[in-house]
Amino acid sequence: MVVDIMTRKERRELKKDKSLICALYNIIIKYFPKLLTMFENLTDQRQKGKVTYNMKVICVTRLFGLLCGITTMNSLTNKFNNDFTIDTIAKITNSDLTDLPHYDTINDVFDDLDIDELRKIQKYIAYALIRSKMFDKFRYNGKFQLLIDGTGLVSFNYKHCDHCLVKKHSDGHMTYEHQVLEAKLVFDSFVLSIDSEFIENPNPDVINIKKQDCEMNAFKRMAIRLKKNFPKLKFIITGDALYASGPFIKLCLDNKWDYIFRLKSDKLRTVNQDFDGLISIDSGTTHKNYFLVKDYVYQKYEFNIIRFIETVEKKDDKIFTFITSLNVSNSNIKKLIDMGRRRWKIENCGFKNQKHILFDITHMSSLDYNAMKAHYLFIQFAHTIRQLLDFGSSFVELFQGKLKEISFAILNELISTPVNLIINTNFQLRFDKLII
């Protein structure tokens, strides 16, 4: 490719006439034409007559701060407080602005945002991309692979709020945590958040740690919403060994979803023992290091068991075993193993990028729990839009895939350059480099 042999000076010259702000704005206008209106129509709990910035300005300021990679609310105010940024945000929101909202103002609004209204925006963003058909090539037999996993957000040595999860450590001390369960469609390295369920104690008087909320209960709540929001979509639910159990298998079958769950030696031990015994007689495939047992019956459920042993020189073998409702044959076992291993995408391309590269989801943007959840969902919105730019736009090839460099370029343009915000939706994002 030409990009590979360009000098730094040549890349800088090409970047001069390109606007990342325009690219982001046009992605929003083309793929999410209702997004700014949905921001504007969010329920505003502030007293009428005392509102300086409307909801659209509040939300767009926060969104574009995230698109720039600004991870703290203080930095948002300090870095955005200039004429160039004010002018650009004013153009995007079609508002008459002489200043931008202070981070305290944004947090005051986020304290009272309706989380269910934000979930409707999350659903809208997901539906818009699904209906665009740009990711249809990533379906497997007409089904989308949906990754499910939980992650920690923040941890305290004191009780932060009534909804904290309480964890007792071996030395007797307690920590108080906030966690979230994510559902993300996976298109190779592109992960699309379609639902977020916060793992939280609904009862502020919880004393018995064993009766706390957990990832399993969170998925049960999430499943109801997924079925309601996406009734016609066919999913292949993919999760770690936590989900390899009767209740989760039943949940998938009841919703007519297929599944691929990791199977570890300490889970479903009888299943593991039976599988080891059966493949010692017949591997079930002709492929080296691949193993298959079909139509295994566990309790009242029937599924297939697949395994791949990855050998690495001078290192221990890695064993990957999965149970799946999908039909398995000699011709597709490698594909299904790859799909099972794709579960790590939610960690590497989702949580890792959001924690350490782009957004820092573990940073508390507010002490208010409702605002924390609102900030988290805004990060999901921003991550989707950034991925459309980072993976789909040919222009960002000039940055050679360096996400932080792209963030810096967006920020630098926003705070130091007058932006001629031209609407141009005559383009097509392409994801040819993503692996099917």
Side-chain angles (χ1 to χ4, degrees):
M1 291 177 61
V2 177
V3 173
D4 293 334
I5 60 175
M6 282 185 181
T7 65
R8 291 183 179 179
K9 182 178 180 180
E10 288 171 330
R11 284 198 295 272
R12 284 197 300 270
E13 289 300 314
L14 278 176
K15 292 175 187 177
K16 281 184 179 179
D17 297 326
K18 302 289 186 178
S19 170
L20 284 167
I21 302 300
C22 278
L24 287 167
Y25 179 64
N26 283 306
I27 285 173
I28 292 171
I29 295 302
K30 177 168 184 171
Y31 293 101
F32 315 116
K34 297 180 182 178
L35 181 61
L36 299 184
T37 302
M38 294 181 80
F39 283 158
E40 186 176 20
N41 292 334
L42 287 170
T43 302
D44 191 346
Q45 301 289 351
R46 293 172 293 177
Q47 292 183 11
K48 294 181 179 180
K50 295 185 178 182
V51 174
T52 304
Y53 308 99
N54 63 39
M55 294 297 284
K56 190 196 300 186
V57 171
I58 294 285
C59 294
V60 168
T61 301
R62 180 59 176 135
L63 179 68
F64 270 79
L66 289 165
L67 292 172
C68 295
I70 294 177
T71 58
T72 69
M73 295 301 289
N74 186 49
S75 294
L76 177 66
T77 295
N78 291 339
K79 292 182 179 180
F80 272 23
N81 192 23
N82 65 78
D83 291 339
F84 295 117
T85 309
I86 294 168
D87 181 63
T88 300
I89 298 296
K91 289 176 181 176
I92 292 172
T93 60
N94 193 26
S95 304
D96 183 15
L97 298 174
T98 58
D99 206 345
L100 289 179
H102 188 272
Y103 70 82
D104 281 337
T105 303
I106 297 175
N107 271 336
D108 286 344
V109 172
F110 277 33
D111 287 352
D112 297 316
L113 279 181
D114 187 329
I115 299 303
D116 285 336
E117 289 184 1
L118 295 183
R119 283 201 174 103
K120 289 179 181 178
I121 295 177
Q122 185 181 35
K123 172 189 171 183
Y124 165 71
I125 290 173
Y127 243 122
L129 293 183
I130 291 168
R131 295 185 69 177
S132 74
K133 299 186 182 301
M134 71 171 74
F135 295 114
D136 274 3
K137 68 177 182 178
F138 294 95
R139 293 178 187 256
Y140 178 81
N141 290 344
K143 303 167 186 176
F144 281 119
Q145 187 173 10
L146 185 63
L147 310 181
I148 307 291
D149 199 13
T151 191
L153 297 178
V154 291
S155 179
F156 308 88
N157 289 321
Y158 60 90
K159 185 178 180 181
H160 165 255
C161 70
D162 289 338
H163 300 287
C164 288
L165 299 175
V166 184
K167 183 177 181 180
K168 187 175 182 180
H169 297 265
S170 57
D171 61 2
H173 87 279
M174 313 283 276
T175 54
Y176 302 84
E177 304 175 352
H178 287 297
Q179 302 174 8
V180 65
L181 181 68
E182 268 294 312
K184 294 183 185 290
L185 295 178
V186 58
F187 317 118
D188 188 45
S189 296
F190 191 118
V191 288
L192 170 62
S193 175
I194 70 170
D195 198 277
S196 307
E197 178 62 30
F198 296 93
I199 306 172
E200 57 192 8
N201 283 327
N203 182 358
D205 298 321
V206 163
I207 297 176
N208 190 336
I209 294 177
K210 293 182 179 180
K211 293 184 178 180
Q212 294 187 108
D213 196 15
C214 63
E215 186 172 329
M216 298 172 71
N217 289 334
F219 181 59
K220 292 174 184 177
R221 298 193 300 272
M222 175 185 279
I224 295 172
R225 197 163 50 242
L226 286 172
K227 192 63 177 180
K228 179 181 178 182
N229 289 341
F230 307 97
K232 296 182 180 180
L233 278 188
K234 297 178 180 180
F235 293 132
I236 302 170
I237 305 295
T238 307
D240 60 23
L242 173 69
Y243 294 87
S245 66
F248 286 121
I249 292 172
K250 182 179 186 302
L251 190 59
C252 290
L253 296 179
D254 288 347
N255 286 292
K256 298 182 179 180
W257 299 331
D258 280 297
Y259 60 84
I260 302 176
F261 296 144
R262 182 76 185 272
L263 182 64
K264 289 190 174 181
S265 57
D266 59 345
K267 290 282 289 185
L268 305 184
R269 293 184 179 179
T270 301
V271 176
N272 274 288
Q273 291 170 1
D274 290 347
F275 180 68
D276 289 338
L278 290 168
I279 62 175
S280 67
I281 301 171
D282 182 358
S283 68
T285 79
T286 61
H287 303 293
K288 183 180 179 181
N289 291 349
Y290 286 85
F291 304 89
L292 164 65
V293 169
K294 298 191 66 170
D295 305 326
Y296 181 87
V297 177
Y298 166 72
Q299 295 179 357
K300 58 182 179 180
Y301 307 109
E302 185 177 286
F303 49 72
N304 300 312
I305 313 174
I306 55 179
R307 174 178 290 173
F308 170 61
I309 300 178
E310 183 177 67
T311 57
V312 182
E313 189 176 355
K314 296 182 180 180
K315 292 185 179 180
D316 293 337
D317 292 347
K318 294 182 180 179
I319 301 175
F320 301 93
T321 309
F322 304 93
I323 63 172
T324 180
S325 59
L326 294 166
N327 182 50
V328 187
S329 66
N330 196 61
S331 62
N332 72 354
I333 187 171
K334 290 185 176 181
K335 173 68 175 178
L336 295 182
I337 288 288
D338 287 343
M339 289 176 65
R341 296 181 67 177
R342 203 175 291 160
R343 184 189 66 81
W344 284 104
K345 294 288 185 179
I346 195 172
E347 179 65 41
N348 294 337
C349 303
F351 298 139
K352 181 180 177 181
N353 279 353
Q354 291 183 9
K355 287 181 179 181
H356 305 299
I357 299 176
L358 290 174
F359 307 116
D360 193 3
I361 57 173
T362 60
H363 174 77
M364 287 191 64
S365 296
S366 171
L367 287 173
D368 181 86
Y369 182 50
N370 192 80
M372 286 173 57
K373 294 197 284 188
H375 283 296
Y376 177 84
L377 289 171
F378 265 78
I379 287 173
Q380 306 316 306
F381 307 158
H383 193 202
T384 296
I385 296 169
R386 271 296 302 268
Q387 287 180 102
L388 290 173
L389 177 75
D390 298 340
F391 294 135
S393 172
S394 59
F395 169 43
V396 297
E397 289 181 358
L398 299 171
F399 295 92
Q400 298 180 324
K402 298 177 181 177
L403 298 181
K404 287 190 176 182
E405 185 179 335
I406 297 171
S407 295
F408 178 79
I410 297 170
L411 177 61
N412 187 58
E413 180 185 348
L414 192 58
I415 66 177
S416 63
T417 307
V419 177
N420 186 14
L421 206 63
I422 300 173
I423 297 178
N424 175 22
T425 57
N426 187 27
F427 66 93
Q428 184 68 43
L429 297 179
R430 300 190 181 279
F431 300 90
D432 298 332
K433 292 183 179 180
L434 296 181
I435 300 169
I436 300 177

